[in-house]
Amino acid sequence: MFLRGPRKILLIHGPPRSGKTTLIERLFKNLSSLSQQFHLSGFITRELRDQGERIGFDLIFLRDESLRLPFARVESKDSSKMKDFRVGKYVVFVENLERMLEILERDLQSACLPPLIFLDEIGKMEVFSEKFIRFLEKMRSRGIPLVATIGRGEHRVLSEWGQLKEAIHIQVSQDNRNYLFERLSVEFIRTGRLIVLEGIDGAGKTTILKRLQQDSAFSHWIFSQEPTDSEYGRRLRHLLEEGVYSQRELFELFLSDREDHVKKLILPFLRAGKTIVLDRYYLSTVAYQGVEFQDLWKLLSTNETIAPLPDLVIYLELSYETAMERVSYRGNKKSLFEREDLLKRIAENYERILGLFNVLRIRSQNSLDKVYREVCSALEEWL
């Protein structure tokens, strides 16, 4: 869950008119009506239209929409002297952005609860303001939760923030924006818990999940695995067993299977307050397919766009040598990834992303009985 994890920045990417502003405004209003744990504040940039034609943008303070300031207007003869701050056909009123920041900062100073900031947007117009840039960096350095839409551009701030590894990156489009409201809502308010077992092949994830499933102490929990038993999951298993596939085909099947899993099981049970335990989740996809796809962070963003963050990752650590020994006892065909050189690279990919999550590390070199006892003890302490 975003608000309980180590990453404190959630960035929403998307082309113009994809629904970024609407999405962030819906999230703010929904959270404002439900949560008393945070002081929600921020502002959005709303289009201004005249007879259907866009003529500019206004800044609107989210806690009081009557606080509205003009931010940009289509250039006119009267505004020709203000050419220092222009984006395309628009003149940008940087002084009004800085006035809105003053309103926001005064509001934060008066807050009695921890702040949670919503901004729309970090874009070409906003980065004209050094005050705005300093505000962003202050939120970042203080670890204050920030949800923002972000645009594209060559400015160093847009480039840097657009690739922040310490942020959650969500891709919005006209096709997924309604789904994203449901998917992102559970990052802020979640009565259930999502626990994920991860590790390289042979680490014992499936065995541990089965023992938890059979343990009466956890009889009220929900257990599942990825790939699932959906049509996508069955196709995935078949391809992996046969060993004849393209990485692109695997990637698309994993995403389809995961989206189906999230919509049918994970989101409903999280909202119902259930604890869900998974044998593998999207961390596996990133670690394994990251061997073939060079951009690990794009893989992560693509998956986190459709899949809620886990509350806890239990990572079963295992040496490559022991992993190969255990895999050899299975008696089935070795998959592409069950080779020592690849397992090493997969483990390295895990290490690159594990710090982005709440993680409990358990050494899986020991007997599975001992590993199971350590997992149960860790779960009891964490819960």
Side-chain angles (χ1 to χ4, degrees):
M1 179 168 161
F2 166 57
L3 292 179
R4 297 196 193 110
R7 287 178 284 176
K8 299 302 181 186
I9 300 171
L10 193 158
L11 296 175
I12 299 173
H13 303 249
R17 312 198 70 167
S18 59
K20 300 192 298 293
T21 301
T22 301
L23 175 60
I24 204 170
E25 188 174 13
R26 287 183 70 191
L27 289 169
F28 181 90
K29 289 181 177 179
N30 183 59
L31 192 55
S32 296
S33 68
L34 298 173
S35 175
Q36 302 296 323
Q37 299 178 14
F38 289 88
H39 180 88
L40 277 70
S41 196
F43 58 83
I44 60 170
T45 307
R46 184 170 289 164
E47 290 184 354
L48 188 66
R49 291 184 172 271
D50 183 20
Q51 297 181 349
E53 183 178 352
R54 188 169 67 185
I55 61 171
F57 300 90
D58 281 352
L59 298 166
I60 300 175
F61 186 54
L62 283 167
R63 289 181 64 84
D64 181 357
E65 294 194 11
S66 68
L67 294 176
R68 183 174 188 141
L69 298 172
F71 184 37
R73 293 292 185 269
V74 173
E75 184 177 17
S76 65
K77 292 181 180 179
D78 294 335
S79 60
S80 61
K81 62 182 179 179
M82 304 174 64
K83 294 183 182 296
D84 285 345
F85 301 119
R86 286 182 51 191
V87 174
K89 63 181 181 179
Y90 299 102
V91 174
V92 182
F93 309 129
V94 174
E95 67 277 10
N96 282 345
L97 172 61
E98 296 184 347
R99 286 174 59 196
M100 183 60 74
L101 283 172
E102 291 170 3
I103 292 170
L104 174 55
E105 288 176 327
R106 284 197 300 270
D107 178 61
L108 295 178
Q109 289 170 1
S110 66
C112 298
L113 294 171
L116 172 56
I117 311 301
F118 286 73
L119 293 181
D120 172 51
E121 69 173 347
I122 304 171
K124 292 179 180 179
M125 295 182 181
E126 289 76 7
V127 295
F128 282 132
S129 169
E130 288 296 325
K131 182 180 177 72
F132 179 78
I133 294 170
R134 289 195 301 271
F135 177 81
L136 289 179
E137 291 303 329
K138 182 169 68 174
M139 298 299 102
R140 179 183 175 186
S141 65
R142 293 183 180 179
I144 293 174
L146 172 67
V147 182
T149 62
I150 185 164
R152 296 179 180 177
E154 297 180 358
H155 192 281
R156 63 169 184 84
V157 171
L158 299 180
S159 177
E160 178 186 353
W161 279 69
Q163 302 176 65
L164 274 186
K165 293 179 182 177
E166 66 197 77
I168 300 158
H169 296 270
I170 303 297
Q171 307 293 330
V172 66
S173 67
Q174 291 186 358
D175 293 333
N176 73 357
R177 58 190 179 186
N178 289 327
Y179 165 69
L180 278 180
F181 173 71
E182 300 296 327
R183 176 259 169 279
L184 290 176
S185 293
V186 298
E187 300 299 349
F188 301 96
I189 297 178
R190 180 186 301 186
T191 54
R193 296 291 182 269
L194 179 58
I195 301 168
V196 181
L197 298 171
E198 289 285 356
I200 63 175
D201 289 272
K205 300 174 299 301
T206 302
T207 302
I208 295 299
L209 183 105
K210 287 179 179 178
R211 292 189 63 169
L212 288 169
Q213 200 167 6
Q214 295 164 1
D215 194 326
S216 61
F218 308 108
S219 60
H220 55 296
W221 288 10
I222 307 299
F223 297 90
S224 190
Q225 74 289 317
E226 291 192 356
T228 71
D229 290 325
S230 72
E231 59 177 302
Y232 308 111
R234 291 193 296 271
R235 176 65 177 159
L236 267 170
R237 289 192 175 90
H238 175 74
L239 291 179
L240 289 169
E241 288 172 3
E242 293 297 317
V244 181
Y245 48 77
S246 70
Q247 287 298 324
R248 175 54 57 183
E249 184 178 16
L250 278 187
F251 177 66
E252 291 175 354
L253 281 171
F254 270 119
L255 282 182
S256 296
D257 184 53
R258 181 158 298 121
E259 185 171 358
D260 186 70
H261 197 202
V262 168
K263 289 179 177 179
K264 292 181 179 178
L265 184 142
I266 295 174
L267 283 180
F269 280 119
L270 282 180
R271 287 195 289 260
K274 299 293 185 179
T275 296
I276 307 165
V277 185
L278 301 182
D279 173 7
R280 295 199 183 281
Y281 196 36
Y282 65 82
L283 286 81
S284 287
T285 301
V286 175
Y288 278 68
Q289 291 210 281
V291 172
E292 298 295 332
F293 293 102
Q294 297 301 311
D295 194 341
L296 214 65
W297 311 108
K298 186 175 181 180
L299 275 174
L300 188 65
S301 171
T302 302
N303 278 275
E304 290 187 334
T305 293
I306 64 172
L309 275 66
D311 293 280
L312 178 68
V313 176
I314 298 178
Y315 184 64
L316 302 179
E317 296 180 299
L318 190 66
S319 70
Y320 322 123
E321 296 83 4
T322 304
M324 292 305 296
E325 288 177 11
R326 290 183 181 178
V327 166
S328 67
Y329 294 144
R330 293 178 179 172
N332 57 356
K333 295 178 182 179
K334 293 182 181 178
S335 77
L336 169 67
F337 294 122
E338 292 174 345
R339 301 207 317 256
E340 187 171 347
D341 59 334
L342 287 173
L343 287 179
K344 181 178 180 181
R345 294 165 65 189
I346 291 163
E348 290 170 349
N349 282 343
Y350 268 122
E351 292 300 333
R352 293 171 67 187
I353 62 173
L354 282 173
L356 303 175
F357 302 89
N358 295 322
V359 179
L360 284 175
R361 293 174 179 265
I362 294 178
R363 287 182 58 79
S364 190
Q365 301 283 128
N366 302 313
S367 70
L368 286 175
D369 283 342
K370 184 175 182 181
V371 173
Y372 181 71
R373 289 195 298 271
E374 290 182 5
V375 168
C376 289
S377 176
L379 284 173
E380 289 174 4
E381 182 178 351
W382 178 75
L383 289 171

